[in-house]
Amino acid sequence: MFTSTKKKEIKNAINLDVLGTCFNLIGFVLMILSLFSNAHPYLSSLYFIKVSNSQQSATFGLFHYCVNSQQCHQETFTLPFDEQMINLLHVTTTTTPAQDPKNPPHDPHMLVAFICCLLCSGISFVLCLYKLTNKRYHDIYFTRGFLSVGASLWSLLLVTLTWITFQHAAAAAEQFLQQQHFEIELGPCMSMVGCAFMVFSLASSLLLLGCATTATPSHHYQHHFV
């Protein structure tokens, strides 16, 4: 009876590890796609914001923008982004956006947050695979779970930064683009960053629970480097 209960606990812990590994992988892929959005014409369907009319369209990724889904250019986007977006579109209007002298254009440094998020989730994913393939490794310090917590916190920061950069720009620039009959819409990358935050949060919950319920036999050799 004791043996069967023990086997059931270990099996449940392994199932949690598998789910945590899958969630980490999903979040990592979503972040990679968001990071390289609009980097190539083939990736022009991945964007944060799109501005279009009957003659032309422009999609804006994280560090690139594409014109008519053909020509893609690298650009460092700054806050407030609505002024830079209008300049990149070469739109002439009778009025210009009022620039706040107390808020000069500045780089939100989203690349740093993306790199930190990818490092946390990538290392956690590698450790998850190592644990699934090596029965002698026991994550006694909950490293995988805490790394996933770090990834979820960085992704939450990115949700905030992308919302401030792109969604706020869409609302601020709409009145200036109406004269040229431009339409503004938010792209799938906004949802992808939000979904990455959700899956990282699920991964951290599952991995921390899996670590807490995984048996740690004292007679086996264990790796304590993490």
Side-chain angles (χ1 to χ4, degrees):
M1 182 69 178
F2 176 77
T3 304
S4 62
T5 303
K6 206 70 170 178
K7 288 182 178 180
K8 186 176 181 180
E9 291 179 356
I10 295 175
K11 183 178 180 180
N12 291 336
I14 293 176
N15 291 336
L16 292 176
D17 289 339
V18 173
L19 286 176
T21 304
C22 293
F23 284 136
N24 264 326
L25 178 60
I26 293 172
F28 185 85
V29 172
L30 289 175
M31 282 298 180
I32 285 290
L33 292 176
S34 299
L35 181 63
F36 292 100
S37 54
N38 270 217
H40 192 274
Y42 292 124
L43 299 175
S44 60
S45 59
L46 298 176
Y47 57 88
F48 284 92
I49 188 172
K50 179 179 181 180
V51 182
S52 62
N53 61 9
S54 58
Q55 298 179 348
Q56 63 175 334
S57 65
T59 54
F60 297 88
L62 193 67
F63 301 109
H64 303 81
Y65 71 97
C66 294
V67 179
N68 296 328
S69 301
Q70 296 178 353
Q71 300 177 354
C72 295
H73 310 275
Q74 185 175 359
E75 185 72 25
T76 300
F77 299 139
T78 58
L79 293 176
F81 177 61
D82 54 306
E83 302 173 9
Q84 185 181 15
M85 180 174 62
I86 292 176
N87 292 332
L88 291 175
L89 290 171
H90 305 292
V91 175
T92 57
T93 58
T94 56
T95 57
T96 57
Q99 296 185 357
D100 187 359
K102 297 181 180 179
N103 187 27
H106 60 280
D107 185 0
H109 299 293
M110 284 190 284
L111 179 60
V112 177
F114 264 95
I115 291 176
C116 292
C117 181
L118 290 173
L119 282 175
C120 289
S121 60
I123 295 174
S124 179
F125 175 71
V126 171
L127 290 177
C128 285
L129 290 180
Y130 183 68
K131 187 176 187 301
L132 291 174
T133 56
N134 190 345
K135 296 182 179 180
R136 296 190 301 172
Y137 169 62
H138 300 280
D139 192 2
I140 61 175
Y141 299 117
F142 311 151
T143 308
R144 299 168 302 148
F146 286 120
L147 283 171
S148 296
V149 170
S152 65
L153 292 177
W154 283 112
S155 59
L156 177 60
L157 175 62
L158 286 167
V159 169
T160 306
L161 289 176
T162 52
W163 183 87
I164 293 174
T165 303
F166 298 105
Q167 189 162 354
H168 181 267
E174 184 176 6
Q175 56 180 330
F176 298 104
L177 297 175
Q178 286 180 348
Q179 298 179 3
Q180 303 294 328
H181 305 287
F182 276 96
E183 295 182 357
I184 304 178
E185 60 179 277
L186 297 176
C189 286
M190 295 291 294
S191 301
M192 289 165 59
V193 175
C195 290
F197 165 67
M198 293 175 59
V199 295
F200 284 142
S201 300
L202 290 173
S204 61
S205 301
L206 292 174
L207 291 174
L208 288 174
L209 179 62
C211 291
T213 57
T214 299
T216 307
S218 58
H219 60 281
H220 284 172
Y221 174 77
Q222 302 174 23
H223 300 283
H224 297 293
F225 57 90
V226 287

